[in-house]
C-alpha cells in the first residue's frame, strides 16, 4: 500500500472514530413514556398557549440528580416550547387557547428488588425514580385535554449534557402522539 493511501485510510479511520464518539448516545432504555389525549379535545382549534406559573421541578439542594449549574426547569420548558411549536402552536400572552404546566417528582430512596450478583436470592436495592408530568389545559373549559407522563430511573451524577439529552428524549417521546393542528 502506498503512503498516500495509508494516510487517507488513517484519516478516514480517525474521522469515523471521532464521528462515532460525537454521536455517542445517552442510555434512555429505562425511560417509559405515555401521552393521552382527551376525547373532548379540539386540537384543530387550538392555536396558542401560555405557561401556568406552577410549572416546576422539585428542588434538589444536594445536587443528587440535577448537575450543578444545570437548570432542568428551563430545559424542560424549552423542550416543551419546541414540541408545541412543531405542532403549530404559538406562545401567547393575552388569551391563549391552551394553558401548559409540568411537574417532576423525584424519589431518591425508592427500593426495587434486583437479582443478586453471585447470590441465588434477590436483594432489595435503592434505585432512585423520577417522573415528569406535562398537562395541557383548555383555557375556556379549564379541563385537561392532554397529559404526558415520563418515568425513569434517576442516574446520579450525570454530566449536564447527559441529563439534558435524557430530558429531551422524554419530552420528545411524550409529545409524539400529540395531535398536530
Amino acid at each position: 500500500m502506498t503512503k498516500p493511501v495509508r494516510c487517507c485510510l488513517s484519516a478516514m479511520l480517525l474521522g469515523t472514530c471521532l464521528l462515532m464518539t460525537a454521536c455517542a448516545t445517552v442510555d434512555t432504555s429505562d425511560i417509559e413514556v405515555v401521552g393521552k389525549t382527551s376525547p373532548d379535545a379540539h386540537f384543530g382549534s387550538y392555536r396558542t398557549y401560555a405557561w401556568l406559573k406552577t410549572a416546576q421541578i422539585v428542588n434538589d439542594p444536594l445536587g443528587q440528580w440535577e448537575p450543578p449549574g444545570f437548570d432542568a426547569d428551563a430545559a424542560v420548558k424549552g423542550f416543551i416550547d419546541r414540541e408545541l411549536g412543531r405542532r403549530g402552536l404559538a406562545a401567547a400572552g393575552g388569551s391563549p387557547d391552551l394553558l401548559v404546566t409540568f411537574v417532576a417528582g423525584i424519589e431518591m430512596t425508592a427500593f426495587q428488588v434486583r437479582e443478586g450478583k453471585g447470590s441465588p436470592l434477590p436483594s432489595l436495592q435503592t434505585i432512585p425514580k423520577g417522573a415528569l408530568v406535562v398537562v395541557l389545559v383548555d383555557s375556556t373549559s379549564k379541563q385537561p385535554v392532554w397529559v404526558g407522563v415520563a418515568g425513569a430511573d434517576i442516574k446520579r451524577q450525570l454530566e449536564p449534557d447527559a441529563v439534558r439529552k435524557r430530558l429531551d428524549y422524554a419530552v420528545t417521546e411524550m409529545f409524539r402522539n400529540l395531535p398536530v393542528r
Side-chain angles (χ1 to χ4, degrees):
M1 205 179 308
T2 64
K3 188 172 182 177
V5 171
R6 272 184 280 176
C7 288
C8 185
L9 288 174
S10 296
M12 286 175 42
L13 181 59
L14 177 61
T16 302
C17 289
L18 288 173
L19 184 60
M20 288 173 63
T21 304
C23 295
T25 59
V26 172
D27 181 23
T28 57
S29 62
D30 62 300
I31 300 175
E32 296 178 14
V33 181
V34 173
K36 297 286 184 179
T37 303
S38 167
D40 300 329
H42 303 287
F43 275 94
S45 65
Y46 299 133
R47 296 187 179 356
T48 60
Y49 70 93
W51 283 93
L52 289 171
K53 293 182 182 176
T54 58
Q56 67 178 340
I57 292 182
V58 295
N59 190 20
D60 182 31
L62 301 178
Q64 292 185 325
W65 72 272
E66 186 176 40
F70 179 72
D71 187 349
D73 291 299
V76 169
K77 187 174 182 231
F79 297 141
I80 294 170
D81 282 334
R82 180 196 65 210
E83 294 302 318
L84 291 172
R86 285 179 176 171
R87 283 151 185 84
L89 295 164
S95 300
D97 301 319
L98 292 171
L99 301 171
V100 183
T101 191
F102 72 88
V103 66
I106 310 298
E107 176 54 60
M108 295 304 290
T109 58
F111 289 101
Q112 187 172 358
V113 176
R114 293 270 173 113
E115 293 297 319
K117 292 180 181 173
S119 171
L121 300 174
S123 64
L124 199 57
Q125 297 176 5
T126 302
I127 309 292
K129 300 286 184 185
L132 172 65
V133 180
V134 179
V135 182
L136 303 181
V137 177
D138 182 289
S139 64
T140 304
S141 71
K142 306 296 188 241
Q143 295 298 311
V145 293
W146 182 86
V147 176
V149 179
D153 294 340
I154 297 299
K155 310 290 187 189
R156 295 178 194 239
Q157 300 170 344
L158 287 178
E159 292 297 317
D161 189 54
V163 174
R164 183 188 58 73
K165 285 178 181 175
R166 285 175 56 82
L167 288 170
D168 188 5
Y169 171 83
V171 171
T172 301
E173 289 301 308
M174 189 184 295
F175 275 85
R176 204 171 284 289
N177 76 347
L178 182 74
V180 177
R181 215 175 53 75

